[in-house]
């Protein structure tokens, strides 16, 4: 008996269906795996350790502002600055051109308190100092001005008080005559003076001759009227500058003089 033959397409269909089913499962599995990987990556955060939202917010936050440091007097080294009392709010800075020079300049600085900035209260004034310049160890007759920081507490002169707040001693004993080192007349040099508290007792007339360090260490170091030449150890300023200084110095501000050659002041 003959068996009727079925078309080949009937036998091929199951294999095609199986192939389609297998292909479809493989695609869905791949998509599911990729979706899982994407979810894990999202949970793990940005790649490469990049900053997340919290880190970005912290990065954008500004650092706390630091308080500005007070301005110091220029050209003074730490050693010299350390000699200025914290209570001083006025400082006359006298800077010599060189250790052996008798020419210098002066600037008055002021500040509002110990933690406040220093600022110039005057311009640069021409000045003279000792004939032989400056020294760290002043001795009587060496014709040098002493380096250092000294308080200013007492004033006086041959002329009447120009309006200073410092104690002022008006005396004819401040009269002087004769000639200076270059033949310039000394008359009028002590019309106005401010005593520099080097080897002297504060709170008395500049004419007082008490010498706490001994007579051999010199004394009578003043700021006085310039006579056009070097001094024996004092600092001298033009007369109008002396008047301005006397009217500006205030004992309530504990004024000091910072004096020396430029190299010494930078120490």
């Amino acid at each position: 008996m003959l068996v009727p033959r079925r078309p080949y397409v009937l036998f091929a269909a199951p294999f095609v269906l199986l192939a389609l089913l297998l292909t479809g499962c493989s695609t869905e599995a791949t998509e599911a795996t990729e979706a899982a990987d994407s979810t894990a990556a999202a949970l793990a955060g940005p790649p490469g350790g990049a900053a997340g939202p919290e880190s970005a917010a912290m990065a954008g936050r500004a650092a706390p502002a630091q308080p500005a440091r007070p301005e110091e007097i220029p050209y003074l080294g730490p050693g010299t600055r350390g000699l200025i009392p914290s209570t001083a709010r006025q400082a006359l800075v006298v800077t010599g051109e060189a250790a052996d020079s008798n020419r210098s300049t002066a600037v008055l600085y002021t500040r509002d308190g110990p933690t406040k900035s220093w600022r110039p209260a005057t311009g640069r004034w021409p000045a003279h100092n000792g004939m032989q310049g400056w020294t760290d160890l002043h001795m009587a007759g060496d014709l040098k001005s002493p380096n250092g920081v000294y308080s200013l507490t007492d004033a006086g002169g041959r002329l009447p008080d120009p309006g200073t707040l410092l104690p002022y001693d008006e005396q004819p004993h401040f009269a002087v005559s004769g000639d200076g080192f270059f033949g310039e007349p000394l008359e009028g040099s002590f019309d106005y003076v401010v005593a520099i508290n080097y080897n002297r007792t504060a709170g008395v007339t500049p004419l007082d001759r008490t010498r706490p360090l001994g007579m051999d260490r010199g004394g009578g170091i003043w700021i006085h009227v310039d006579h056009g030449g070097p001094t024996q150890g004092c600092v001298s300023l033009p007369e109008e500058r002396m008047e301005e200084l006397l009217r500006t110095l205030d004992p309530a501000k504990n004024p000091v003089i910072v004096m020396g050659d430029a190299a010494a002041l930078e120490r």
Side-chain angles (χ1 to χ4, degrees), residues 51-63:
E54 183 178 354
S55 299
M58 293 180 65
R61 188 181 302 161

Side-chain angles (χ1 to χ4, degrees), residues 4 25 30 42 49 53 56-57 73 78-79 82 100 113 122 126 128-129 133 143-145 159 164 221 235 242 253 260:
C25 290
T30 302
I73 297 174
D100 59 354
T122 68
H128 279 101
N129 52 272
L143 302 182
K144 296 182 179 182
S145 299
L159 296 181
T164 185
I221 306 297
V235 171
M242 277 299 301
K253 297 181 179 180

Side-chain angles (χ1 to χ4, degrees), residues 171-231:
Q171 288 278 355
H173 295 95
F174 284 104
V176 63
S177 60
D179 296 329
F181 292 103
F182 297 155
E184 73 280 9
L186 298 177
E187 184 177 359
S189 300
F190 302 153
D191 283 355
Y192 300 117
V193 310
V194 177
I196 296 172
N197 288 347
Y198 165 83
N199 198 17
R200 73 177 297 270
T201 302
V204 297
T205 174
L207 295 170
D208 183 80
R209 294 186 60 79
T210 302
R211 302 289 181 258
L213 300 178
M215 298 300 292
D216 60 331
R217 293 296 303 276
I221 306 297
W222 297 343
I223 309 170
H224 62 70
V225 176
D226 190 80
H227 47 75
T231 72

Side-chain angles (χ1 to χ4, degrees), residues 113-177:
T115 61
K116 302 300 183 181
S117 295
W118 286 100
R119 61 185 184 276
T122 68
R124 293 168 60 88
W125 297 339
H128 279 101
N129 52 272
M131 175 66 178
Q132 299 298 330
W134 300 89
T135 180
D136 289 331
L137 184 63
H138 176 70
M139 303 298 290
D142 66 4
L143 302 182
K144 296 182 179 182
S145 299
N147 293 324
V149 178
Y150 308 100
S151 58
L152 303 174
T153 57
D154 305 285
R158 186 182 64 86
L159 296 181
D161 180 354
T164 185
L165 296 175
L166 297 176
Y168 188 89
D169 182 27
E170 179 186 349
Q171 288 278 355
H173 295 95
F174 284 104
V176 63
S177 60

Side-chain angles (χ1 to χ4, degrees), residues 9-30:
V9 64
L10 297 177
F11 292 99
F15 294 102
V16 173
L17 179 60
L18 178 61
L20 289 173
L21 291 173
L22 290 174
T23 303
C25 290
S26 175
T27 302
E28 291 174 0
T30 302

